[in-house]
Amino acid sequence: MSIRLGILGYGNLGKGVECAVRQNDDMELAAVFTRRDPDSVSILTEGVKVYNTSEITAHKDEIDVLIICGGSATDLPTMTPMYAKDFNVVDSFDTHAKIPEHFANVDAAAKSGNKTAMISVGWDPGMFSMNRAIANAILPEGKDYTFWGRGVSQGHSDAIRRIDGVLDARQYTIPVEEALESVRKGENPDLTTRQKHTRECFVVAEEGADKARIEKEIVTMPNYFDEYDVTVHFISMEELMRDHKGIPHGGFVIRSGVTGINKENRHIIEYSLKLDSNPEFTSSVLIAYARASYRMNSEGMYGCKTVFDVPPAYLCRETPEYLRSHML
Amino acid sequence: MSIRLGILGYGNLGKGVECAVRQNDDMELAAVFTRRDPDSVSILTEGVKVYNTSEITAHKDEIDVLIICGGSATDLPTMTPMYAKDFNVVDSFDTHAKIPEHFANVDAAAKSGNKTAMISVGWDPGMFSMNRAIANAILPEGKDYTFWGRGVSQGHSDAIRRIDGVLDARQYTIPVEEALESVRKGENPDLTTRQKHTRECFVVAEEGADKARIEKEIVTMPNYFDEYDVTVHFISMEELMRDHKGIPHGGFVIRSGVTGINKENRHIIEYSLKLDSNPEFTSSVLIAYARASYRMNSEGMYGCKTVFDVPPAYLCRETPEYLRSHML
């Protein structure tokens, strides 16, 4: 019997989940829920219904795991606790500072309904967090480094779009190659913000806009750009659409540590991702944790979980016997 | 209260465990067991006793987890099932083909004594296996690649040493850079054995030995060398001792997969290790899984486990709350 998934929110992430379900033969898409008019939403999967979010609890017996594809700023803090009582849920909550509070709210809700909720699933938080934690457990004496990119930062792109005279923009976060190499060599550098990443901006300006002013507003923008080396390219809307349509991302988690009676031996653990589509990869991670949510729930493991709480075997389609004989 | 560890077998791996314990403040070394005369074994940790293996069961109440540092060929298949009844144990059994049989034997023993056993812990099998399994769960449509090195292969070094006229030897396994780059680019190449790794040998020959014959015996040796491009360097014993004393190793596990409605987006997940000391890194992994063994046992999770069965949080010294607020 397939695991029946529901998607709540049909944006980039929801579409990514819909595509990922098709690659997992132990799962099926049961329904999509949207805050929009369901008739205005056309999905890729034939025969699957789209409902308004207001009808969701009426469908709770048709859904094994609900994947909540909302934003971390305003959607998930209320939605995940709200639905965790009636559904096994997975979300990608990524406001690092508010994770403990979100965890507590979701945990109480899930436990009250004997459900299993997975929060902060994706790659960061998610796979990067797991790798940081395990690498720290293996090498207690060492240093952690996280680099992001080359990839599109939605937040930085939006910040540029808010500047007067800007029609559209795309911002790439790029790790500094020399910094990466120094870390990989085990030199344990202390790196400033500027030394770790550069930012490259592709900007479409309004006809006749003052490009020098726009560029200055970008490079001096506090928090977003002022601590970085920033390159600004003005391009046409056609070029933006042609060359910068994708949403690639990725990054590197590196732990550099020592062992030995005199700490004479150095070890580098590196985990890296190179992603053509940030939302589709995130969706693929959500799907794997949806499988874990379903299985852990069926074994009575209720409450809120994160990537730290899930044994790898629960993520895999294959049986434990298969994993041991083919992947160990 | 500290987790009290016992070490069974005091070779490179056992010494590595002894060093790693000192880096983990929630653990202490309780005793070392050896098949040799205990008086002939001097260890690095003051105040810790060395006993003969024959006395081990008399000390079972002093030890929370026993780390079995034996060889996979003959030691572990008998030792781990033998001790898993009386101790929580961890081993690094690495004969891939015999893992299912070893698992079954250890599982029965551990369950009969309400103990928790971890087998095949280390980096391959171990961290590499975990990364293969998780990457497959995230990207079901894709291809796996594993490269080993640059590092010393003990088995290949031993094979050279068995050749007539060879005094000592060190063999390095080296991944082919072009193959790695092709995989990282997402080209999904089909790679032959020869295209993935080269082998470099440093050989000390006896005075007057026929070096041409030795070289020919190496490069044509079935299974070990004949399918590879092999380089042989003859060096002096002094050079071997000076330049090739270490036991470095490492490698790369890469999954290249696609997502999207038309599989139009490619993703690369890469996990890599660069290790100055293969046994010390392996020991550090064993220690982290010893912690998990102890905790899972205290929660009644009995039987044989592998890296697929352990939630990452069980490996970490930190509390779940700390992990969520600092590492997620």
Side-chain angles (χ1 to χ4, degrees):
Chain A
M1 211 192 67
S2 288
I3 303 172
R4 301 165 303 167
L5 299 184
I7 294 172
L8 173 51
Y10 193 70
N12 280 336
L13 203 56
K15 276 176 205 156
V17 170
E18 183 183 18
C19 294
V21 172
R22 302 156 85 107
Q23 295 183 299
N24 288 276
D25 57 16
D26 61 339
M27 298 184 171
E28 61 182 278
L29 182 60
V32 171
F33 300 92
T34 176
R35 284 176 293 193
R36 292 177 271 169
D37 172 5
D39 290 336
S40 73
V41 175
S42 113
I43 66 170
L44 301 164
T45 313
E46 260 180 61
V48 171
K49 290 231 171 111
V50 181
Y51 302 102
N52 187 273
T53 310
S54 59
E55 303 176 66
I56 194 166
T57 32
H59 297 278
K60 68 178 191 166
D61 294 336
E62 301 154 30
I63 287 162
D64 295 316
V65 186
L66 181 67
I67 304 192
I68 307 183
C69 301
S72 293
T74 54
D75 298 340
L76 299 177
T78 54
M79 285 166 92
T80 311
M82 185 190 306
Y83 297 114
K85 193 178 161 294
D86 290 323
F87 296 90
N88 298 314
V89 297
V90 183
D91 83 16
S92 59
F93 185 75
D94 67 359
T95 312
H96 291 264
K98 294 191 177 164
I99 286 174
E101 182 189 339
H102 189 55
F103 182 91
N105 294 339
V106 175
D107 193 47
K111 281 180 178 155
S112 78
N114 287 350
K115 297 295 179 187
T116 307
M118 303 270 167
I119 62 159
S120 301
V121 171
W123 58 275
D124 196 6
M127 301 315 299
F128 273 18
S129 326
M130 178 196 292
N131 276 281
R132 273 190 286 267
I134 297 178
N136 271 269
I138 296 172
L139 297 174
E141 293 186 49
K143 209 163 162 178
D144 290 310
Y145 294 90
T146 303
F147 293 88
W148 293 273
R150 187 178 193 261
V152 172
S153 164
Q154 220 60 58
H156 288 79
S157 302
D158 289 342
I160 299 172
R161 283 189 205 104
R162 286 192 294 264
I163 293 174
D164 198 45
V166 171
L167 288 173
D168 203 349
R170 209 70 88 246
Q171 193 269 186
Y172 294 90
T173 307
I174 304 165
V176 174
E177 195 58 40
E178 297 75 47
L180 254 177
E181 282 314 310
S182 170
V183 170
R184 283 186 181 134
K185 276 188 207 147
E187 295 173 347
N188 275 21
D190 288 312
L191 297 167
T192 62
T193 299
R194 192 178 298 276
Q195 286 169 325
K196 288 183 71 184
H197 297 94
T198 57
R199 301 196 175 277
E200 188 171 17
C201 314
F202 294 87
V203 181
V204 183
E206 280 174 13
E207 185 78 34
D210 180 350
K211 291 181 180 169
R213 185 215 12 112
I214 292 173
E215 178 162 352
K216 197 179 164 199
E217 282 195 41
I218 295 172
V219 303
T220 59
M221 196 184 294
N223 303 317
Y224 284 91
F225 292 101
D226 63 339
E227 290 182 61
Y228 297 86
D229 288 335
V230 182
T231 320
V232 179
H233 310 277
F234 287 95
I235 61 174
S236 69
M237 190 61 91
E238 291 67 40
E239 287 170 312
L240 189 86
M241 288 299 136
R242 187 191 66 206
D243 303 333
H244 303 282
K245 246 178 51 183
I247 319 174
H249 220 312
F252 306 80
V253 171
I254 304 176
R255 176 114 180 132
S256 171
V258 290
T259 65
I261 192 72
N262 298 310
K263 301 172 189 180
E264 65 275 29
N265 288 313
R266 178 163 295 283
H267 309 281
I268 308 284
I269 305 175
E270 176 171 342
Y271 180 80
S272 72
L273 296 172
K274 201 169 77 186
L275 313 175
D276 275 359
S277 165
N278 184 354
E280 285 182 8
F281 185 81
T282 301
S283 304
S284 299
V285 181
L286 292 174
I287 286 279
Y289 281 87
R291 182 181 288 120
S293 161
Y294 175 75
R295 291 184 181 166
M296 291 172 85
N297 186 261
S298 70
E299 295 180 13
M301 297 154 90
Y302 305 140
C304 188
K305 314 285 174 192
T306 73
V307 293
F308 301 137
D309 305 308
V310 179
Y314 283 71
L315 305 172
C316 303
R317 295 182 307 295
E318 300 85 356
T319 63
E321 293 74 21
Y322 182 93
L323 290 175
R324 283 194 296 270
S325 53
H326 291 84
M327 292 207 182
L328 198 61
Chain B
M1 210 192 68
S2 288
I3 303 172
R4 301 163 304 165
L5 300 183
I7 294 172
L8 173 52
Y10 193 70
N12 280 337
L13 203 56
K15 275 176 207 158
V17 170
E18 183 183 18
C19 293
V21 173
R22 302 156 85 106
Q23 296 185 296
N24 288 276
D25 56 17
D26 61 339
M27 300 186 169
E28 62 182 278
L29 182 59
V32 171
F33 300 93
T34 176
R35 285 176 291 196
R36 292 176 270 168
D37 173 4
D39 291 335
S40 74
V41 175
S42 113
I43 67 170
L44 301 164
T45 313
E46 260 181 59
V48 170
K49 290 230 171 114
V50 180
Y51 301 102
N52 188 272
T53 310
S54 59
E55 304 177 65
I56 193 165
T57 32
H59 297 278
K60 69 177 189 166
D61 294 336
E62 301 153 29
I63 287 163
D64 296 315
V65 186
L66 181 68
I67 303 191
I68 308 184
C69 302
S72 293
T74 55
D75 298 339
L76 299 176
T78 55
M79 285 165 93
T80 311
M82 184 189 307
Y83 297 114
K85 195 177 160 295
D86 290 322
F87 296 90
N88 298 315
V89 297
V90 182
D91 83 16
S92 59
F93 185 74
D94 67 358
T95 312
H96 291 262
K98 294 191 178 164
I99 285 173
E101 183 188 339
H102 189 55
F103 182 91
N105 294 339
V106 175
D107 193 48
K111 282 180 176 153
S112 78
N114 288 350
K115 297 295 180 188
T116 306
M118 303 269 168
I119 63 159
S120 301
V121 171
W123 58 276
D124 196 6
M127 301 316 299
F128 273 19
S129 327
M130 179 197 293
N131 275 281
R132 272 191 287 267
I134 296 177
N136 270 270
I138 296 173
L139 297 174
E141 293 186 50
K143 210 163 162 177
D144 290 310
Y145 293 90
T146 304
F147 294 87
W148 293 273
R150 186 177 193 261
V152 172
S153 164
Q154 220 60 59
H156 289 79
S157 301
D158 289 342
I160 299 172
R161 285 189 202 102
R162 286 191 293 265
I163 294 173
D164 199 44
V166 171
L167 289 174
D168 203 349
R170 209 71 87 247
Q171 195 270 184
Y172 294 89
T173 307
I174 304 166
V176 174
E177 196 59 39
E178 297 75 48
L180 253 177
E181 282 313 310
S182 170
V183 170
R184 284 187 181 134
K185 277 189 208 147
E187 296 174 347
N188 275 19
D190 288 313
L191 297 167
T192 62
T193 299
R194 191 178 299 275
Q195 287 169 323
K196 288 184 71 185
H197 297 93
T198 57
R199 299 195 177 279
E200 188 170 18
C201 314
F202 293 87
V203 181
V204 183
E206 281 173 12
E207 184 79 34
D210 181 350
K211 291 180 179 171
R213 188 226 354 123
I214 291 174
E215 178 162 351
K216 196 179 166 199
E217 280 194 43
I218 294 172
V219 302
T220 59
M221 196 185 295
N223 303 319
Y224 284 90
F225 291 101
D226 63 339
E227 290 181 61
Y228 296 86
D229 289 334
V230 182
T231 319
V232 179
H233 309 278
F234 288 95
I235 61 174
S236 68
M237 189 60 90
E238 291 69 37
E239 288 170 313
L240 190 85
M241 289 298 137
R242 186 190 67 204
D243 302 333
H244 304 281
K245 246 177 51 180
I247 319 175
H249 220 314
F252 306 81
V253 171
I254 303 176
R255 175 109 180 137
S256 171
V258 290
T259 64
I261 193 73
N262 298 311
K263 300 171 190 180
E264 64 275 27
N265 288 313
R266 179 164 294 286
H267 309 280
I268 308 284
I269 305 174
E270 176 170 343
Y271 179 81
S272 72
L273 296 173
K274 201 169 76 184
L275 314 174
D276 275 358
S277 165
N278 184 354
E280 284 182 9
F281 186 81
T282 301
S283 305
S284 298
V285 181
L286 292 174
I287 286 278
Y289 281 87
R291 181 180 289 121
S293 161
Y294 174 76
R295 291 185 182 166
M296 291 173 85
N297 185 261
S298 69
E299 296 180 12
M301 298 154 90
Y302 306 139
C304 189
K305 315 285 173 192
T306 73
V307 292
F308 301 137
D309 305 308
V310 179
Y314 283 71
L315 305 171
C316 303
R317 294 182 308 295
E318 299 85 357
T319 63
E321 292 74 22
Y322 182 93
L323 291 175
R324 283 194 297 269
S325 52
H326 292 83
M327 291 207 181
L328 198 61

